[in-house]
Amino acid sequence: MGAQFEAAVTLDAEMIMQTYGRKPVMFVRGEGMRLFDDEGREYLDFVSGIGAVNLGHAHPAVAAAVCEQMSKLVHVSNLFYVEHRAELAADVSELLGGGWHMFFANSGTEAVEGAIKLARRWAGFHKPGAYKVVTLERSFHGRTLAALAATGQASKQEAFKPLPEGFVHVPANDVAALAAAVDETVAAVMIEVVQGEGGVWPLTAEYLSAARRICDEAGCLLIADEVQTGFYRTGPAFAHQAFGVVPDVVTVAKALGNGLPIGGFLARGSAAEALQPGDHGSTFGGGPAICAAARATLAAMAEQRVGDNAVRVGAYLRERLAAIGEQTGALSDVRGSGLMVGVTLSKPIAAQVAALGLERGLVLNNIGTDILRFLPPLVCGKPEIDTLCSTLTNILVEVSAE
């Protein structure tokens, strides 16, 4: 442990609320897929800031856009028109097919909170008496109170009860359970097309189509939480687009700023007109600097065709992981889409594997005791996957033998 790192650990323990179990490393620089710690050691990043740095670290076009805008104007609030805000909304709307209206926030959980408020406000106009939001078991929608109540993981909720009322959780990929839960009291159904934080569990095409039909028949909104899956993580710009299902509301965040904090939600049709002046707000949402960064991010993503790379390299990653499972017997159930991949380990050794990975130059993410989640930057190539799989195989063989 170097002196700079040791001092940082000590000060962190003294000054920062310990809400995260931090890994024993301090990164000081990034470049594409690679991170460098305070002693100059190089790592391959398979977490990308929890799916937020889709273009890779320190992308020059994003850095240039931020620097240029920061030198001109940083913040004046939403009381005024600013450069880049409406243009960015138009860019995102175009990715969704056009005709969408956007609200800007600062994070994914704020995006979800806003979408829930929009659904209840919309119901006030179009379905009086409806207020419930149906979400799926194992889902994750954020850590603010309403977003936490929407989250389908009881273990994350227990310490914070009583939570806001009006949330119903049903099993994923169970059409009958969803149909039974959606009644005259339901304002919206909210889904993640791939449940990321829950362990990378994809919904089926049949379930997504059924969810759209059930919402239409019940006269409620379908919200797609694309905070983690948005902006080419699974291949298409948004995960739901691979299934031909069009939601009424879409939440976004994470990769839109390529690591800088931004979030928001988009709505179409009558849902886009639900929120009235004074109903919702954000002091920093849609500021000129972050919007300039996000516009540069989207332009670079399109130019570099990161979605095509996610499909190609993601398929290679899943193939290599499946082969490791056959070779070692240490992992199974390789799943996911694009460069959003999860595996279940045959023993509860996920934290140990991630720790050994870090020692050997791999930044890995364990979920619970037996799941590894892979979210590399979308510029990841096959050589990096080969390095990952070679090192991971050695780790799994070692740990499994203990």
Side-chain angles (χ1 to χ4, degrees), residues 21-360:
R22 296 192 213 288
K23 311 299 182 186
V25 63
M26 183 170 71
F27 295 120
V28 297
R29 185 169 68 85
E31 181 180 340
M33 270 287 296
R34 287 166 170 74
L35 288 167
F36 301 86
D37 69 15
D38 57 309
E39 295 184 318
R41 189 178 177 212
E42 181 178 321
Y43 302 76
L44 282 178
D45 184 6
F46 290 92
V47 179
S48 68
I50 315 180
V53 191
N54 281 9
L55 278 173
H57 298 280
H59 193 281
V62 179
V66 172
C67 291
E68 180 183 353
Q69 186 58 45
M70 292 285 284
S71 69
K72 294 194 301 185
L73 183 68
V74 176
H75 175 70
V76 292
S77 87
N78 278 294
L79 297 178
F80 307 97
Y81 295 98
V82 296
E83 285 184 285
H84 306 304
R85 183 189 298 140
E87 291 84 353
L88 175 59
D91 292 343
V92 181
S93 174
E94 185 177 354
L95 288 177
L96 283 164
W100 296 73
H101 293 72
M102 186 163 191
F103 180 91
F104 284 109
N106 306 290
S107 67
T109 196
E110 287 181 77
V112 168
E113 289 276 343
I116 292 168
K117 285 183 66 177
L118 182 148
R120 290 190 173 181
R121 192 76 168 103
W122 175 86
F125 292 120
H126 299 279
K127 193 177 180 183
Y131 65 98
K132 293 179 182 174
V133 176
V134 177
T135 67
L136 306 184
E137 295 176 0
R138 213 161 43 191
S139 64
F140 182 80
H141 297 291
R143 297 183 188 275
T144 53
L145 280 178
L148 187 62
T151 291
Q153 299 184 50
S155 62
K156 296 186 184 302
Q157 299 172 335
E158 191 61 37
F160 304 100
K161 291 182 176 178
L163 294 172
E165 297 179 353
F167 295 90
V168 178
H169 306 103
V170 296
N173 289 326
D174 186 335
V175 174
L178 180 63
V182 177
D183 58 22
E184 68 279 0
T185 67
V186 172
V189 172
M190 182 159 58
I191 57 170
E192 299 165 281
V193 177
V194 182
Q195 296 181 321
E197 206 276 343
V200 191
W201 301 98
L203 300 184
T204 66
E206 293 75 14
Y207 187 79
L208 290 165
S209 296
R212 179 69 274 179
R213 173 179 53 77
I214 290 168
C215 287
D216 288 341
E217 292 174 354
C220 68
L221 300 178
L222 178 62
I223 302 171
D225 183 348
E226 295 261 11
V227 165
Q228 189 166 132
T229 49
F231 306 107
Y232 305 103
R233 171 57 59 185
T234 65
F238 296 94
H240 69 265
Q241 293 173 326
F243 302 94
V245 172
V246 182
D248 303 295
V249 181
V250 176
T251 62
V252 299
K254 290 190 182 292
L256 180 55
N258 201 48
L260 293 171
I262 186 171
F265 54 96
L266 300 100
R268 65 185 180 94
S270 62
E273 301 170 353
L275 292 176
Q276 304 296 304
D279 282 345
H280 200 49
S282 172
T283 296
F284 293 108
I290 187 62
C291 288
R295 293 203 76 200
T297 296
L298 295 184
M301 285 179 173
E303 180 181 354
Q304 296 181 219
R305 302 179 69 85
V306 295
D308 294 342
N309 191 64
V311 171
R312 182 172 58 253
V313 178
Y316 183 65
L317 172 57
R318 293 192 298 278
E319 176 186 323
R320 290 294 312 270
L321 290 171
I324 292 173
E326 292 179 2
Q327 177 187 346
T328 66
L331 58 84
S332 62
D333 196 24
V334 179
R335 56 188 180 269
S337 186
L339 279 169
M340 184 175 184
V341 176
V343 298
T344 300
L345 301 174
S346 56
K347 295 182 178 178
I349 55 174
Q352 189 177 356
V353 171
L356 286 172
L358 194 63
E359 289 181 8
R360 300 175 192 189

